[in-house]
Amino acid sequence: MNPETAELLGTAARWVASLATLVVLGACGFRAGIRRTLVTAGSEVVQDADRRAARAGLWAALALLTILGVKLYAQAGSFVEPDEPITRELVTTVIGSTAWGKGWTSQMLAAGLALAGFAVAGAHRAGWLMAFVGATTVALATPLTGHAVAAERAGIWGYPLDVMHVLGSGVWLGSLAVMLIAGFAAVRRLEPASRGLRVAAMVHAFSPMALTGVTMLGLAGVILAGRYLDWSVSALWNSGYGRTLSLKLLLLGGVAGTGAYNWKVLKPVLGTEAGARRIARSSLVELGLGTILLLVTAWLVHLPMPGDE
């Protein structure tokens, strides 16, 4: 495998893994903080939302397990020359003899636990406990294969800050995605007036979660970015890493701006069918920008930091 192919494959794998991780965390966030607003809509709506959220988490955990296999293949490919094959012995060495491999193993076990939990969560409440433990472990394991533990300049705070970054993303964008997939979809069976009220209740419950997630994401991101740039503002435009980070920050501003619009402009006028449609469309824009943001982040990880070129 040539280096360019390994880099592209690794970037794609990191992107899909990030998306899957957000949904795994978001399914648990929806269950913990938003689902309760549907209780007054009837047991059928609640059960439907539960099943949809569990299904979203299940497919996301399955996607995460699958893409972790691709990440392993790409990582092994980075150790060989373009004309050399990737052997089973090499893969075994990467898994068992490198810090990256140990982090990868932790992610596989965490994703497997989340998958098992979501598989039974739709029918048994105890499954959600397993899913919560698995999702939390996914968040704890995700930074183990990234800059947070590999880059010396991340320091001792690199790992906890990256965990906070992952959790913040999941609480915000992940919960938003599952609210659309599970919550908004489950209330479609209701009459328009009741549907508008239920959507309004979900959005009101989601707002403090989003604010918490944005705060966690922003605080951790600023500190990590400062460390990776050696606190040099000029590195934002004098290095490839800095320019890509600037693009990420611009996209983050777009995502946050859309979220602020939803919060300040659309949230106060919710309660009607028209309001529900408007918030759904605007939330899709927010998630679309977030998806592009994660792609830029996935590309950023493989770039050398300023001074390491």
Side-chain angles (χ1 to χ4, degrees):
M1 180 184 299
N2 62 61
E4 292 78 11
T5 301
E7 286 181 359
L8 289 175
L9 186 60
T11 296
R14 283 189 294 271
W15 180 45
V16 176
S18 296
L19 291 171
T21 297
L22 288 189
V23 177
V24 166
L25 293 170
C28 294
F30 174 83
R31 169 75 184 192
I34 302 174
R35 176 255 197 194
R36 57 183 169 78
T37 64
L38 298 175
V39 172
T40 56
S43 60
E44 289 187 2
V45 172
V46 174
Q47 290 171 6
D48 188 24
D50 276 347
R51 285 192 295 267
R52 290 175 183 273
R55 193 180 305 129
L58 174 69
W59 283 107
L62 182 60
L64 182 56
L65 281 169
T66 303
I67 208 64
L68 283 171
V70 178
K71 288 182 70 175
L72 175 61
Y73 181 80
Q75 183 71 9
S78 67
F79 285 94
V80 299
E81 297 297 328
D83 57 343
E84 293 182 2
I86 298 174
T87 63
R88 179 180 299 180
E89 291 75 18
L90 174 61
V91 172
T92 301
T93 300
V94 171
I95 294 174
S97 302
T98 67
W100 186 95
K102 293 173 183 176
W104 177 88
T105 301
S106 298
Q107 291 178 50
M108 287 289 290
L109 293 173
L113 180 60
L115 177 67
F118 286 125
V120 297
H124 302 283
R125 186 178 301 178
W128 280 106
L129 177 60
M130 188 186 301
F132 271 91
V133 174
T136 301
T137 311
V138 166
L140 292 172
T142 296
L144 296 176
T145 56
H147 283 159
V149 296
E152 183 178 348
R153 66 182 71 184
I156 61 173
W157 291 102
Y159 173 74
L161 285 170
D162 210 4
V163 170
M164 188 168 137
H165 194 267
V166 173
L167 285 173
S169 300
V171 169
W172 174 23
L173 294 175
S175 296
L176 175 61
V178 178
M179 182 173 72
L180 291 175
I181 294 170
F184 283 24
V187 300
R188 286 175 185 167
R189 67 177 66 195
L190 301 176
E191 293 296 323
S194 180
R195 183 163 57 242
L197 291 174
R198 296 281 72 76
V199 167
M202 283 188 281
V203 173
H204 281 280
F206 170 68
S207 291
M209 295 174 59
L211 185 59
T212 300
V214 169
T215 302
M216 293 171 63
L217 176 67
L219 181 61
V222 167
I223 297 174
L224 285 170
R227 285 179 172 273
Y228 294 156
L229 297 176
D230 280 336
W231 300 103
S232 171
V233 176
S234 62
L236 285 170
W237 56 84
N238 287 333
S239 65
Y241 185 94
R243 288 188 291 271
T244 305
L245 178 60
S246 297
L247 176 59
K248 176 183 175 179
L249 294 175
L250 181 63
L251 286 167
L252 179 59
V255 178
T258 307
Y261 173 78
N262 293 341
W263 181 33
K264 291 293 187 179
V265 178
L266 297 186
K267 178 186 168 187
V269 297
L270 287 175
T272 65
E273 175 68 6
R277 287 196 298 268
R278 289 180 66 188
I279 195 73
R281 288 195 297 267
S282 185
S283 296
L284 286 173
V285 172
E286 186 176 352
L287 286 172
L289 290 173
T291 300
I292 300 172
L293 169 65
L294 290 175
L295 177 58
V296 173
T297 302
W299 179 254
L300 183 67
V301 171
H302 95 280
L303 295 176
M305 296 180 188
D308 296 339
E309 297 92 340

